[in-house]
């Protein structure tokens, strides 16, 4: 009897969005090979340090781990443009209090690519010029428009954002629910998962996310039926449709 070999786990999942050929990476990063671009969202650098200032002590390694993973992706993808979709820093106070060593690392990061784009977020409405790179509230490149938080008022397809830290639940082995961070998109907008180490998530069935996709649903209140989702595993991505999610 011939044995079949299971397909190798892949950290990449290619898909089309608004005529752009994109690749979801299992790390939560988005690749746009045509533009040589690497897109990440919600790094929340120095979140552990910010919590420590308020008396909640977390292991102080989140920033190093997040930046290490980002450095590794830049090395493997050889990206020429890096876009960070807001909430790159956890608060204005951590920006003001960056150590010299961390500031030096961030400046080296922004110089490591031909073009570095900071998109401002609600946690970091301003990014200092001496960090390097460009700072934008919104940023358009080709067929895509990048911002921190999706807007139901944005009239054009091709909106790419973060902010919500989306996650989704599906039926897993032994009929048990499995919940993972995810990408979610329809024909109008794409929302990225959080890339940062210390980041939670909001389930896509929550009205705050679901309502952003309700325009594309024939049944009022469902919202996700025509969405595609890419759930992040340890080594591979699971692609599912919105109508297969658990509530």
């Amino acid at each position: 009897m011939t044995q079949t070999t299971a397909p190798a786990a892949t950290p990449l999942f290619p898909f089309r969005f608004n005529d752009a050929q994109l690749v979801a990476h299992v790390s939560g990063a988005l690749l746009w090979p045509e533009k040589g671009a690497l897109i990440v969202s919600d790094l929340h650098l120095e979140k552990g340090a910010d919590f420590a200032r308020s008396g909640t002590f977390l292991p102080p390694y989140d920033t190093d781990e997040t930046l290490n993973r980002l450095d590794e992706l830049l090395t493997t993808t050889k990206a020429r443009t890096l876009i960070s979709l807001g909430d790159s820093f956890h608060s204005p106070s951590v920006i003001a209090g960056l150590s010299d060593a961390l500031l030096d690392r961030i400046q080296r990061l922004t110089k490591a690519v031909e073009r570095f784009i900071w998109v401002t977020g609600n946690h970091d409405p301003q990014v200092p010029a001496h960090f390097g790179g460009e700072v934008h509230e919104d940023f358009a490149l080709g067929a895509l428009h990048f911002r921190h938080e999706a807007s139901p008022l944005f009239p054009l397809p091709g909106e790419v954002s973060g902010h919500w830290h989306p996650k989704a639940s599906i039926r897993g082995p032994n009929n048990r629910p499995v919940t993972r961070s995810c990408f979610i998109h329809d024909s109008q907008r794409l929302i990225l998962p959080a890339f940062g180490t210390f980041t939670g998530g909001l389930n896509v069935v929550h009205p705050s996310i679901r309502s952003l996709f309700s325009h594309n649903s024939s049944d009022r209140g469902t919202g996700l039926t025509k969405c595609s989702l890419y759930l992040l595993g340890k080594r591979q991505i699971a692609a599912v449709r919105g109508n297969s999610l658990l509530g």
Side-chain angles (χ1 to χ4, degrees):
M1 187 171 87
T2 303
Q3 287 187 328
T4 57
T5 303
T10 173
L12 306 173
F13 189 88
F15 66 100
R16 291 195 69 83
F17 174 67
N18 200 38
D19 292 329
Q21 185 64 48
L22 307 176
V23 181
H25 191 278
V26 73
S27 65
L30 180 70
L31 312 180
W32 192 359
E34 179 190 356
K35 301 295 185 182
L38 171 66
I39 303 103
V40 292
S41 188
D42 297 275
L43 306 181
H44 285 272
L45 299 176
E46 292 293 84
K47 182 175 182 178
D50 201 43
F51 271 62
R53 290 190 185 98
S54 63
T56 301
F57 294 98
L58 297 173
Y61 310 118
D62 56 306
T63 296
D64 280 345
E65 183 174 335
T66 298
L67 291 177
N68 288 344
R69 291 190 293 116
L70 190 53
D71 284 342
E72 183 179 353
L73 272 175
L74 280 175
T75 299
T76 57
T77 63
K78 297 179 173 57
R80 302 186 304 275
T81 297
L82 198 157
I83 303 172
S84 186
L85 291 179
D87 288 0
S88 303
F89 302 91
H90 190 63
S91 70
S93 63
V94 304
I95 291 176
L98 287 186
S99 67
D100 290 342
L102 182 52
L103 174 59
D104 178 69
R105 183 167 188 183
I106 289 169
Q107 290 172 332
R108 284 188 281 112
L109 175 66
T110 59
K111 293 175 182 176
V113 288
E114 296 175 13
R115 196 174 188 191
F116 192 107
I117 309 295
W118 300 106
V119 175
T120 55
N122 55 297
H123 282 258
D124 53 0
Q126 295 180 327
V127 178
H130 67 272
F131 282 13
E134 306 170 31
V135 181
H136 298 268
E137 185 175 345
D138 297 85
F139 176 73
L141 181 63
L144 304 183
H145 189 96
F146 299 92
R147 56 159 30 102
H148 176 59
E149 182 177 355
S151 171
L153 301 178
F154 190 70
L156 302 175
E159 182 191 61
V160 182
S161 64
H163 180 67
W164 292 109
H165 305 197
K167 64 180 182 180
S169 299
I170 58 174
R171 192 71 65 188
N174 300 319
N175 218 29
R176 294 179 178 177
V178 174
T179 301
R180 294 287 186 269
S181 296
C182 67
F183 297 81
I184 177 171
H185 75 90
D186 61 4
S187 60
Q188 182 84 11
R189 57 177 46 93
L190 164 65
I191 302 178
L192 272 61
F195 187 84
T197 299
F198 281 167
T199 49
L202 182 68
N203 200 297
V204 295
V205 300
H206 189 280
S208 295
I209 298 179
R210 188 182 64 208
S211 63
L212 293 167
F213 299 98
S214 292
H215 66 280
N216 207 14
S217 175
S218 57
D219 299 322
R220 182 176 178 84
T222 55
L224 304 177
T225 55
K226 295 185 179 180
C227 290
S228 296
L229 297 94
Y230 313 125
L231 278 65
L232 310 182
K234 291 183 177 180
R235 293 183 299 164
Q236 61 185 335
I237 291 177
V240 301
R241 295 292 294 174
N243 56 9
S244 64
L245 301 176
L246 300 179

